[in-house]
Amino acid sequence: MGNSSSNTTENYEVIVKTSDRKGAGTDGNIFIAFLNNTGKRSKDYKLDVRFRDDFEPGHNDRFPIKNLRDFGEIVKIELWRDRWLFWDNWLVEFIIVTDHVNGKFYEFPINRWIKGGTKTRWSRYDCQLPQLDSEHRQRKEELLGKRNVYKYWQKIPGLPVQVRTLPSDEKFRSDQLKSFTSTARKLRINSELIAIATARNFKSLADFETIYKYTFHRPSSIDTWDSDEVFGNNALNGCNPTQIKLCEKLPEGFYVTEDMVEPFLEELKFEEALTKKRIFVIDYHVMVDIKYLPCPFALYFLGGDKKLRPIAIQLTRAPPHAAVKPPVFLPNDPEYTWKLAKMWFNLADVSYHQSSTYCFIYFILESVAVTMHRHLSISHPLHRLLAPHLQDVMATNSQVINKLIGSNGTFDSFFKMGCEGSFKIVRNDCKTRTVQTTEVLPTNLKARGVFDENVLPNFHYRDDGLLIWNAIKKYVATVVNAYYKTDDQVENDFELHGFRSTLSKNVDAGGCAIPGLPGNDGFESREQVIEMFTVIIYMASAGYASSQHNIYESYAYPPAYPTLLRGDPPMDKSERTESDLMAALPEKNQMLGMLAVVKLWSLISKSKLGEFESTWLYSEECCEALQQFRRDLRSAATTIDKRNATREFPYNNLHPDNIPNGISI
């Protein structure tokens, strides 16, 4: 049976970390052997310390090794569990072998279940391209097993694919889930207490302030919600900073005229303002033919004070031959008429945010995560690069998003669009959304004409986002170039080819139908790989944070950012009153229900970008890349702090302290 490790004389020591997941430990017998750089194999050693319960979940166990003198550099280990209690599999996180004589240590990240009776071999760092891995059979068998567990399912036609059944390894830990459900229950109880303690019906906007108590603080939007400057800032730095574009000509169907807007152009003619790049537009064409929702345009002007303000809003569409054109609302309309128009525009903005900004990120990242598990071995450096950013996405979707979009869920209860409306928005948006045009941040900004800070100042999302994008890209590039020494190695990586091919091919062919990936039939260069994996990590971290961090402040005051408005968008510009606004706003119980939901969302995910619960990449070059990434993020944080000190509207959504590694609860 080999030598026990429990004897007193030792030259080496083995440190074993068992995962903290429920059921990760084992009572089986664990054995190890070592292989050096000359191909020599050691004896078998049983890892056991007498009178100690080894391999318990979350434990670090140390085992002395004797009679292993002058063995040289350890490059591989063999690890196995006997067949006793064959069902009692063991989830090991890592093994470190310490050479006490020469002062060296060797890391072997495992991150896998070890099954009884099967010997496995692991290289130091367990991080190799598949074409260079001598354990190719073990690697192939592992991926085949993963494909039986991680299966695709397009749960909602036209939306990204998800995992068919949540694998046990992807489920939240019981303490994590318990904390989330406990918080949700507390928020619901608080909202019910507020409902009892406040007036049965709200009759004025001032009545809303009575609901902010207990765990619901008073949002700052109460004081600024009707400001045109704040409305303009929200287009730049709110929940949806990806929609505003430089206006070079008016979109078809937007029936604004020069005479309408020239009073707000600081003595410029409209064509002159266009030429000077001072007109910007948001066009929510993706909401065409979606029941109950407006399908608006908004036109903005950049003033001489460098502030962006709305100068026209059209809430509905009509073809050019229509006898009656939709009204165009203007800042010089009656006060409450203009406020009502902005509320209805913001309803569309909310609907897009929840559908294409929020749910799309969740769904597309689940597609990527499932594909990663099916096609990239854990031994693949790109799997190890992505893993900490995707580790909770499937569980989060199962626990949160599926309840959000489920029958009688959050969307149906608290959003004007409902589930079906949300799905239509995503389907419409996906028709023009591609990785290279919309998800590569610098490219997207340039395509929208807003990359240049001289053209559009005070665009904090752009300025801070580029800091984070560049830091992530630099980190990804270092890792990619550490393993791919040439572009030929990219083309010869059959696991990576399968990963990309599956992401791009149609759903009915077993793929994810993600359009516009870098490369033609596959990745052809290291730069294309760097771009794609930068997109994934940025989307999972900064993309999520930019749309999520400030969600309570945005949503908590319904007139500022309504999820639901009663009736239809106004079709004339007659004078309105505060009573008309109140008639459009949702009932108190709906407001309180939504308040609890957005408060819960605002508490989701407390990890910090670059700070991982577990180490995934162990090589010296990758460890230095991670340390440099952290230094770059600290530098970005310092820059953002300095910027915020002089900003009229400080922006913290993309401060590194507020960016998680990935989506979670």
Side-chain angles (χ1 to χ4, degrees):
M1 190 170 287
N3 296 338
S4 172
S5 62
S6 59
N7 295 296
T8 55
T9 304
E10 65 175 270
N11 298 319
Y12 289 81
E13 183 181 44
V14 172
I15 302 170
V16 178
K17 171 65 184 296
T18 299
S19 169
D20 62 0
R21 279 192 171 274
K22 183 179 180 180
T26 183
D27 292 322
N29 297 309
I30 304 299
F31 298 88
I32 194 169
F34 310 97
L35 293 89
N36 68 14
N37 55 349
T38 66
K40 181 180 178 181
R41 185 186 185 280
S42 75
K43 300 176 181 179
D44 298 347
Y45 290 88
K46 181 181 179 182
L47 298 180
D48 177 61
V49 173
R50 190 174 298 175
F51 306 122
R52 188 179 77 190
D53 196 1
D54 300 319
F55 313 117
E56 290 298 297
H59 284 199
N60 284 295
D61 296 313
R62 294 173 177 267
F63 302 93
I65 302 294
K66 68 168 291 187
N67 299 329
L68 191 64
R69 299 178 185 276
D70 302 321
F71 192 69
E73 181 183 356
I74 297 175
V75 296
K76 287 188 178 184
I77 60 172
E78 278 188 10
L79 186 69
W80 68 100
R81 192 181 74 72
D82 63 9
R83 292 183 180 277
W84 187 68
L85 299 176
F86 66 89
W87 64 87
D88 187 26
N89 295 330
W90 174 44
L91 182 56
V92 57
E93 193 167 310
F94 62 75
I95 290 176
I96 297 176
V97 181
T98 303
D99 178 350
H100 289 302
V101 174
N102 297 302
K104 295 182 178 181
F105 61 92
Y106 306 93
E107 305 97 327
F108 297 89
I110 310 298
N111 308 109
R112 292 166 171 90
W113 291 95
I114 303 299
K115 298 179 179 180
T118 302
K119 284 190 176 182
T120 58
R121 278 194 176 188
W122 308 107
S123 299
R124 188 181 183 189
Y125 307 142
D126 185 42
C127 199
Q128 297 182 79
L129 299 180
Q131 65 265 40
L132 304 178
D133 193 345
S134 59
E135 306 301 330
H136 53 85
R137 178 177 294 179
Q138 175 179 297
R139 188 164 174 151
K140 181 179 180 180
E141 289 175 353
E142 179 184 50
L143 280 176
L144 290 173
K146 283 286 196 76
R147 289 170 195 167
N148 288 326
V149 177
Y150 293 83
K151 295 182 178 181
Y152 296 118
W153 183 28
Q154 191 177 44
K155 298 180 182 179
I156 305 163
L159 270 63
V161 299
Q162 297 176 260
V163 71
R164 178 174 288 276
T165 302
L166 185 66
S168 59
D169 283 353
E170 301 298 330
K171 293 179 180 179
F172 285 125
R173 297 188 305 270
S174 58
D175 60 327
Q176 193 175 7
L177 193 57
K178 182 178 179 181
S179 175
F180 176 77
T181 55
S182 175
T183 300
R185 188 181 305 112
K186 180 180 178 181
L187 291 171
R188 187 175 65 251
I189 291 171
N190 284 345
S191 69
E192 290 170 353
L193 290 174
I194 293 170
I196 295 170
T198 53
R200 183 173 181 180
N201 295 305
F202 292 154
K203 297 181 180 179
S204 70
L205 294 175
D207 290 341
F208 289 163
E209 296 208 36
T210 63
I211 68 175
Y212 302 109
K213 56 183 69 177
Y214 307 130
T215 51
F216 305 115
H217 68 267
R218 184 181 187 273
S220 58
S221 54
I222 290 178
D223 301 317
T224 59
W225 74 276
D226 56 352
S227 162
D228 283 358
E229 291 178 14
V230 170
F231 188 89
N233 182 67
N234 285 343
L236 300 176
N237 305 307
C239 292
N240 272 335
T242 61
Q243 296 307 298
I244 193 159
K245 301 176 182 179
L246 178 68
C247 184
E248 297 175 330
K249 64 177 183 178
L250 288 174
E252 184 178 349
F254 194 2
Y255 298 113
V256 65
T257 65
E258 296 178 4
D259 292 341
M260 290 179 184
V261 297
E262 284 182 354
F264 317 112
L265 302 184
E266 298 177 353
E267 300 184 351
L268 293 175
K269 294 295 184 182
F270 183 69
E271 288 299 325
E272 187 180 3
L274 285 177
T275 302
K276 290 180 176 290
K277 298 183 177 181
R278 294 177 67 179
I279 303 292
F280 298 85
V281 66
I282 293 178
D283 176 1
Y284 276 129
H285 61 276
V286 296
M287 296 180 191
V288 169
D289 296 329
I290 295 180
K291 195 174 182 180
Y292 306 126
L293 285 184
C295 185
F297 299 99
L299 203 65
Y300 301 81
F301 175 70
L302 182 68
D305 58 1
K306 307 299 183 184
K307 294 180 181 179
L308 192 73
R309 296 178 179 87
I311 57 173
I313 294 173
Q314 180 180 306
L315 297 173
T316 56
R317 314 255 164 156
H321 59 269
V324 179
K325 301 295 192 297
V328 176
F329 297 91
L330 306 169
N332 58 6
D333 286 339
E335 177 186 359
Y336 284 100
T337 303
W338 178 235
K339 289 180 180 180
L340 187 62
K342 290 192 291 182
M343 280 171 49
W344 277 94
F345 178 87
N346 279 340
L347 173 68
D349 204 56
V350 166
S351 302
Y352 185 88
H353 173 240
Q354 284 299 314
S355 303
S356 281
T357 303
Y358 190 61
C359 286
F360 178 83
I361 289 177
Y362 277 71
F363 286 143
I364 208 72
L365 288 173
E366 181 167 345
S367 295
V368 173
V370 177
T371 306
M372 177 188 76
H373 283 288
R374 288 175 60 86
H375 290 281
L376 298 179
S377 165
I378 298 177
S379 301
H380 199 295
L382 295 179
H383 184 124
R384 291 191 169 276
L385 177 67
L386 286 186
H389 304 285
L390 299 177
Q391 63 182 13
D392 285 338
V393 66
M394 284 181 248
T396 301
N397 283 356
S398 176
Q399 184 66 27
V400 180
I401 296 300
N402 291 341
K403 291 182 180 179
L404 186 73
I405 63 175
S407 178
N408 298 316
T410 302
F411 277 178
D412 280 341
S413 300
F414 303 122
F415 284 82
K416 182 83 168 179
M417 62 188 173
C419 284
E420 286 305 315
S422 173
F423 301 158
K424 288 180 181 178
I425 292 170
V426 176
R427 290 187 194 106
N428 289 344
D429 199 37
C430 285
K431 293 174 183 177
T432 57
R433 192 166 185 165
T434 74
V435 170
Q436 289 184 288
T437 59
T438 56
E439 311 308 331
V440 177
L441 181 62
T443 303
N444 175 267
L445 292 168
K446 291 172 184 176
R448 292 191 283 134
V450 295
F451 183 82
D452 188 345
E453 64 182 39
N454 294 314
V455 171
L456 187 55
N458 296 314
F459 194 5
H460 312 322
Y461 163 80
R462 171 201 59 210
D463 300 334
D464 297 354
L466 286 171
L467 289 177
I468 306 303
W469 172 272
N470 291 334
I472 292 173
K473 185 174 183 180
K474 180 179 175 182
Y475 169 55
V476 171
T478 303
V479 173
V480 168
N481 289 325
Y483 290 95
Y484 295 98
K485 301 303 182 183
T486 66
D487 289 343
D488 285 344
Q489 287 187 317
V490 171
E491 294 195 63
N492 292 331
D493 184 342
F494 48 87
E495 286 185 5
L496 183 61
H497 178 79
F499 174 79
R500 188 208 176 278
S501 174
T502 303
L503 287 178
S504 63
K505 66 185 177 183
N506 291 332
V507 173
D508 56 9
C512 302
I514 299 175
L517 301 181
N520 293 316
D521 293 331
F523 295 123
E524 298 152 353
S525 67
R526 287 169 290 177
E527 187 56 38
Q528 290 174 351
V529 176
I530 291 166
E531 181 177 273
M532 182 66 198
F533 283 77
T534 301
V535 165
I536 296 169
I537 295 175
Y538 184 88
M539 182 184 290
S541 56
Y544 169 67
S546 68
S547 66
Q548 184 75 7
H549 174 68
N550 207 38
I551 193 169
Y552 180 85
E553 292 297 327
S554 298
Y555 278 66
Y557 186 58
Y561 212 51
T563 64
L564 189 155
L565 291 174
R566 289 181 284 182
D568 297 315
M571 293 302 294
D572 64 75
K573 297 176 33 147
S574 60
E575 186 169 359
R576 264 67 171 193
T577 65
E578 183 176 331
S579 295
D580 293 306
L581 268 61
M582 294 300 300
L585 288 164
E587 296 176 353
K588 185 182 77 169
N589 286 341
Q590 289 174 310
M591 293 181 195
L592 289 170
M594 192 61 212
L595 189 66
V597 169
V598 296
K599 184 66 174 182
L600 183 64
W601 289 344
S602 73
L603 303 174
I604 287 174
S605 192
K606 296 303 180 185
S607 69
K608 186 183 294 186
L609 183 59
E611 305 293 336
F612 306 136
E613 292 181 3
S614 302
T615 301
W616 284 88
L617 290 162
Y618 280 80
S619 73
E620 184 176 341
E621 192 166 4
C622 289
C623 287
E624 173 53 33
L626 180 57
Q627 291 304 317
Q628 183 60 51
F629 182 38
R630 291 168 176 165
R631 289 191 290 270
D632 290 341
L633 291 173
R634 286 298 93 209
S635 176
T638 300
T639 299
I640 292 169
D641 287 338
K642 290 179 180 178
R643 289 172 175 174
N644 278 336
T646 59
R647 286 168 171 170
E648 181 179 359
F649 301 108
Y651 185 71
N652 288 300
N653 292 21
L654 289 175
H655 193 289
D657 289 347
N658 298 323
I659 302 175
N661 285 308
I663 293 167
S664 186
I665 62 172

